[in-house]
Amino acid sequence: EPTLTQEFLPMQPSNGRESPSAPSPAGPRARLARKMRTAVSIYRTRGWNGIGKQIAYILRGRIGPSGNDASADACYQSWIELRASRNVSSTARRLLDHNSRVLLEGFLASGSALDFPVPANPAISILLILHNRAELTLACFYSLLQRDLSSYEVIVVDNASTDQTQQLLQQLTGARILRNATNMHYLRACNQAAKLATGKYLLLLNNDAQVQGDSIRRAIDTLESSPDIGAVGGKVILPDGSLQEAGSIIWQDGSCLGYGRGDYPFAPAYMFQRDVDYCSGVFLLTKRDLFLGEGGFDEAYAPAYYEETDYCVRLWKRGLRVVYDPHVITRHYEFASSNSRKDAIDLQTKHRTLFASQHRDWLQSQSVPTPDKIVKARMRRRLDTRKILFVEDRVPHLTLGGGYPRSNRILRELVRMGHFVSLWPLQFPHESWSSVYRDVPREVEVMVGPGSPEAAEVLDRACTDYDCLLVSRPHNLRSLLKIRPQLLATTRVVYDAEAIFALREIKQLQLTGKPLSPEMQESMVRKEVALAEGCDQILCVSEREKQEFIRRGFNNVRVLGHALECSPTPNDFGARRDILFVGALDAPDSPNVDSMRWFSREIFPRVRRQVNGEMKLIVAGRICAELKGELRGESVELAGEVEDLTVLYNRARIFVAPTRFAAGIPYKVHEAAAHGVPVVATRLIESQLTWGHEAELLAADDSESFAAACSRLYQDCALWNRLRENALRRVALDCSPKEFASRLQAIIG
């Protein structure tokens, strides 16, 4: 088998066309399946992330993980089967060659034309350098014409091609074509084309690449998202469906590694946006003025190899970032214009020496080229940032409730501070990529779906690759300690208790007629609190929960509540008609379902009888079929899961929180008050918030009193305005985003 020296170290960068890139080293699980025919092929691909899990599936007689996203599982299964086949890479290339030649012959025989736009002031100039392989160039042209680009120009430089390229270009209109009498090679031809470009942006694109989806528009959006971004690249996928690279690493000795080589392209490790050392010239977007201001590619690297590596390092030296965007996707043939693999390697070795000499000082801060440094080196970070592994039940979308909006805010604040976060949804690890980043920062690595590492592997990484393990909720901490009993002794763990769930269970049992003795209550609470023994810090959402920990001997406890900006909706008292409830109603035994059943059966009918005028009860949130049937009626509007509740807050005259058992602090009440909707709640909610009856809300516990409070607030304009203003002041004080960020920064350290 290939040795580390043979396969790992001699990685050299190129312009992405002819790189004899070695794959990443395999994980230890691969050695266990070495004699298995299907596993051998996977092992030789050297996919770093997920390789252990892939082989584990094969050992168990399975092909891929099961989950909610059937299409993702099917894609992963297909990829596993292909990687287990013999010679899949060469077969895929032969098929692509054949199909491309058939399409070329058909196009040339038809005499039809490819028409590119001719804008007066193009936003983007796409540079294509050709030397033979007309069939791949045609596929590249087709991929561009399928994109919905509002304003772009195509500049083609033909380096004295001797195949059917000349005929192809004769059937091309709209593009600007330069024909060189001799082969100037990629670097000089690229500089030649850049000087003729008129667009604000330059896209350096290989002619053996096909742009996928809305990649060009996404790259422009990313480049424009921050003034300190100098270049953007993306995911490069080979004909066999495996990764060529997802951003690239520059090692301390000047050698390079295409991150993820041979792995599954849609594994979590390649689905988040990050700063990288450099991106391949297969697809590299930068600003024209910046490129020309830097003198273009350094011609010391002519004819090719290391030119885009050198350019990206020069950007970093100027304080400009190079960003990998996972939604910028290019299919790449690779080696399309290579005449000799040996010549290419010799040229790369020569230019590596030159590159190391030119950037010796910059390289000193780079990692040494060893397999254990790959995860650390896959992104560039400031020295003052932390790497945090955040464990939650699921991806914390804002629409979920149940503490997830707070977790979402934690994620966003950590990213805003410049920290790197990996999110591990421990209980619900399957979600489609189309929804994962709906309201989660794209810089967060989210370990969901096919290709995710196994739990033991993640925890091993937590000990070596992360500065902090942030674990939310007691059952998640309990699960991790079962996997790694010594976790607290080897890793800095911040335990986000969020709330003491035993308190909620105790109250629920009382409501169902199964009260516990004081001794049993204390035992439940103490058992849950004891989980935190050995954690470096403990977080609670309220002062009340904090005191429960302190009372039992813990002193490393901090309060981290909610963060909300006050944005009162504009409608006045008279313009509002409805009563609003917000909360997930998809778990039959949840506090929300109990409270809505109680309100809809015993309270709302009373309110309708007591109040003259039309009103509706609006219920927003996911709802189970059983409860949906119970609530249907002319006076009830089931809004379902709503992305933006502003319109509903603007319609609502009052917000109800008839919660009879719960823990923590109700985010939904804070949010409603922040939008200027006065609240009627139970005494439990009143005590959790430490708000006052008749001051910031109205509170009642029995059905008759709760209905009377709703009716009174619904009809009393002066009371309504007073509670609204008082609650807005309390939200501004209790949920200050600035204070939230300050506390979180102190916690992370």
Side-chain angles (χ1 to χ4, degrees):
E1 293 180 345
T3 65
L4 180 65
T5 304
Q6 292 171 329
E7 286 290 338
F8 179 65
L9 294 181
M11 291 292 302
Q12 314 296 345
S14 75
N15 48 33
R17 302 177 309 284
E18 304 167 350
S19 168
S21 300
S24 305
R29 284 181 177 270
R31 300 185 184 94
L32 300 176
R34 193 173 287 164
K35 294 183 180 180
M36 299 179 64
R37 180 177 174 181
T38 53
V40 167
S41 180
I42 296 177
Y43 173 68
R44 286 177 178 168
T45 67
R46 291 298 199 281
W48 177 256
N49 287 286
I51 195 69
K53 191 167 189 177
Q54 294 160 18
I55 293 175
Y57 290 139
I58 294 171
L59 290 171
R60 296 170 192 154
R62 296 171 55 193
I63 293 297
S66 60
N68 299 329
D69 192 349
S71 62
D73 280 355
C75 179
Y76 188 68
Q77 174 178 330
S78 174
W79 182 81
I80 289 289
E81 291 170 344
L82 281 173
R83 301 309 298 166
S85 303
R86 288 180 177 270
N87 304 317
V88 62
S89 179
S90 59
T91 301
R93 289 165 65 88
R94 287 197 300 271
L95 286 172
L96 180 58
D97 278 338
H98 173 74
N99 291 335
S100 298
R101 290 190 182 109
V102 169
L103 291 173
L104 175 66
E105 293 299 331
F107 173 75
L108 296 178
S110 71
S112 57
L114 290 177
D115 300 317
F116 283 105
V118 189
N121 297 296
I124 183 170
S125 299
I126 302 173
L127 311 186
L128 288 167
I129 313 303
L130 315 182
H131 181 65
N132 296 327
R133 301 309 301 263
E135 71 280 6
L136 298 179
T137 301
L138 176 62
C140 180
F141 286 158
Y142 277 141
S143 76
L144 292 175
L145 288 167
Q146 291 171 2
R147 309 284 76 82
D148 183 19
L149 298 175
S150 58
S151 176
Y152 69 101
E153 65 175 355
V154 175
I155 301 176
V156 177
V157 180
D158 178 40
N159 274 329
S161 296
T162 57
D163 65 349
Q164 295 166 296
T165 296
Q166 294 303 319
Q167 185 180 350
L168 172 62
L169 295 182
Q170 288 173 5
Q171 294 176 224
L172 187 69
T173 65
R176 301 170 66 186
I177 302 175
L178 288 76
R179 292 180 171 86
N180 291 323
T182 60
N183 185 0
M184 294 181 64
H185 299 285
Y186 177 82
L187 189 154
R188 289 193 173 98
C190 196
N191 286 346
Q192 183 185 17
K195 293 174 183 177
L196 297 176
T198 59
K200 179 180 179 182
Y201 311 100
L202 289 182
L203 174 58
L204 313 178
L205 181 67
N206 281 4
N207 71 309
D208 61 350
Q210 298 176 36
V211 178
Q212 305 295 300
D214 199 25
S215 294
I216 296 177
R217 174 55 50 195
R218 286 297 302 263
I220 292 174
D221 290 344
T222 300
L223 187 63
E224 287 295 323
S225 66
S226 177
D228 66 346
I229 298 178
V232 174
K235 187 180 298 177
V236 183
I237 301 178
L238 295 169
D240 65 0
S242 63
L243 263 179
Q244 175 181 318
E245 65 171 79
S248 291
I249 297 167
I250 303 174
W251 298 116
Q252 193 175 90
D253 62 358
S255 62
C256 301
L257 178 69
Y259 179 58
R261 175 89 183 189
D263 207 351
Y264 179 56
F266 304 103
Y270 317 115
M271 294 302 292
F272 68 99
Q273 184 174 303
R274 65 187 187 278
D275 291 357
V276 294
D277 292 337
Y278 81 99
C279 289
S280 165
V282 173
F283 181 115
L284 188 66
L285 183 76
T286 189
K287 291 184 179 179
R288 178 176 60 90
D289 290 346
L290 180 60
F291 186 78
L292 295 177
E294 284 289 321
F297 286 142
D298 186 346
E299 296 199 2
Y301 295 99
Y305 300 112
Y306 269 94
E307 66 274 5
E308 83 272 47
T309 316
D310 168 75
Y311 176 68
C312 290
V313 170
R314 282 187 278 146
L315 293 181
W316 278 112
K317 287 183 173 181
R318 285 186 55 166
L320 297 173
R321 297 156 52 206
V322 179
V323 176
Y324 162 78
D325 186 329
H327 294 285
V328 174
I329 303 175
T330 310
R331 290 182 61 196
H332 186 222
Y333 184 89
E334 198 180 33
F335 305 116
S337 58
S338 177
N339 294 320
S340 167
R341 184 181 179 95
K342 180 181 182 301
D343 289 346
I345 293 175
D346 290 344
L347 189 57
Q348 288 180 351
T349 303
K350 175 185 175 182
H351 286 176
R352 168 186 167 183
T353 303
L354 173 63
F355 174 80
S357 174
Q358 287 186 335
H359 301 291
R360 185 175 293 108
D361 292 344
W362 186 87
L363 288 171
Q364 291 308 304
S365 61
Q366 296 297 101
S367 297
V368 295
T370 55
D372 61 305
K373 295 293 193 297
I374 291 177
V375 173
K376 176 184 177 182
R378 64 180 174 167
M379 71 187 74
R380 295 190 64 83
R381 297 185 299 125
R382 300 196 315 263
L383 294 177
D384 61 341
T385 60
R386 301 279 184 171
K387 291 185 69 176
I388 301 154
L389 177 59
F390 186 12
V391 182
E392 246 289 15
D393 282 356
R394 61 192 307 164
V395 179
H397 294 299
L398 293 171
T399 56
L400 292 174
Y404 295 114
R406 175 174 170 273
S407 293
N408 184 284
R409 186 66 182 231
I410 291 173
L411 279 178
R412 288 186 284 133
E413 285 295 334
L414 290 173
V415 170
R416 188 189 62 78
M417 294 171 189
H419 302 303
F420 169 68
V421 186
S422 293
L423 173 66
W424 186 11
L426 197 59
Q427 307 300 326
F428 299 91
H430 292 277
E431 185 174 336
S432 67
W433 288 117
S434 61
S435 67
V436 164
Y437 289 104
R438 186 174 70 229
D439 48 17
V440 168
R442 294 201 170 273
E443 296 86 349
V444 175
E445 178 185 21
V446 183
M447 291 184 278
V448 298
S452 297
E454 291 187 320
E457 180 186 346
V458 176
L459 290 178
D460 288 341
R461 280 179 51 188
C463 299
T464 57
D465 296 330
Y466 292 93
D467 300 303
C468 174
L469 176 57
L470 175 58
V471 185
S472 182
R473 308 175 196 268
H475 50 270
N476 288 325
L477 180 58
R478 190 177 294 112
S479 296
L480 297 186
L481 292 176
K482 286 182 179 178
I483 300 169
R484 285 287 184 271
Q486 302 303 314
L487 180 67
L488 298 179
T490 58
T491 308
R492 179 173 183 252
V493 177
V494 175
Y495 171 44
D496 181 17
E498 205 269 326
I500 296 180
F501 291 83
L503 298 176
R504 186 177 76 181
E505 295 174 28
I506 291 166
K507 187 68 175 175
Q508 183 178 15
L509 288 169
Q510 290 175 347
L511 285 172
T512 57
K514 303 173 183 177
L516 299 177
S517 67
E519 293 77 16
M520 293 180 68
Q521 293 180 31
E522 172 61 21
S523 175
M524 284 181 64
V525 175
R526 185 173 292 278
K527 183 178 179 181
E528 181 176 331
V529 167
L531 275 172
E533 188 70 46
C535 292
D536 292 84
Q537 290 192 69
I538 304 164
L539 308 185
C540 295
V541 75
S542 72
E543 189 65 33
R544 179 188 178 192
E545 270 83 3
K546 176 182 176 180
Q547 292 305 317
E548 294 289 344
F549 279 96
I550 290 176
R551 201 158 59 84
R552 292 167 178 83
F554 292 89
N555 55 20
N556 55 339
V557 190
R558 296 174 183 248
V559 173
L560 185 69
H562 298 147
L564 279 165
E565 294 84 2
C566 290
S567 52
T569 44
N571 277 353
D572 61 15
F573 177 84
R576 300 167 183 259
R577 290 286 182 272
D578 302 317
I579 296 175
L580 177 62
F581 174 89
V582 174
L585 297 164
D586 50 357
D589 60 346
S590 70
N592 283 339
V593 169
D594 172 80
S595 63
M596 182 41 55
R597 280 194 167 124
W598 179 48
F599 185 83
S600 63
R601 292 172 179 175
E602 301 184 29
I603 299 170
F604 187 54
R606 283 189 168 99
V607 177
R608 292 191 67 203
R609 288 194 297 269
Q610 294 168 8
V611 174
N612 294 322
E614 296 182 2
M615 72 165 67
K616 281 191 174 182
L617 169 61
I618 304 173
V619 181
R622 300 183 318 279
I623 184 169
C624 60
E626 180 183 353
L627 188 59
K628 190 180 292 186
E630 293 180 30
L631 294 176
R632 279 201 175 95
E634 291 184 4
S635 59
V636 179
E637 178 181 329
L638 302 179
E641 193 170 11
V642 180
E643 193 74 25
D644 186 353
L645 291 164
T646 304
V647 172
L648 297 184
Y649 285 131
N650 201 32
R651 285 175 53 186
R653 184 174 289 184
I654 64 175
F655 183 91
V656 292
T659 308
R660 300 194 291 178
F661 61 95
I665 294 181
Y667 178 86
K668 59 188 176 184
V669 175
H670 273 149
E671 185 180 58
H675 283 84
V677 185
V679 177
V680 180
T682 57
R683 297 285 182 182
L684 171 63
I685 298 296
E686 177 192 22
S687 66
Q688 288 177 336
L689 294 168
T690 66
W691 287 8
H693 174 60
E694 298 276 357
E696 292 90 10
L697 49 63
L698 296 183
D701 271 348
D702 62 87
S703 302
E704 186 175 347
S705 299
F706 203 103
C710 290
S711 301
R712 178 187 169 201
L713 182 57
Y714 191 89
Q715 299 174 95
D716 190 333
C717 179
L719 174 64
W720 188 89
N721 281 306
R722 176 164 58 83
L723 294 184
R724 170 182 161 107
E725 294 304 317
N726 289 346
L728 282 167
R729 281 193 290 271
R730 281 299 299 269
V731 170
L733 179 65
D734 297 346
C735 305
S736 164
K738 184 177 180 180
E739 179 64 21
F740 183 92
S742 177
R743 291 187 180 191
L744 184 59
Q745 182 65 71
I747 290 162
I748 297 302

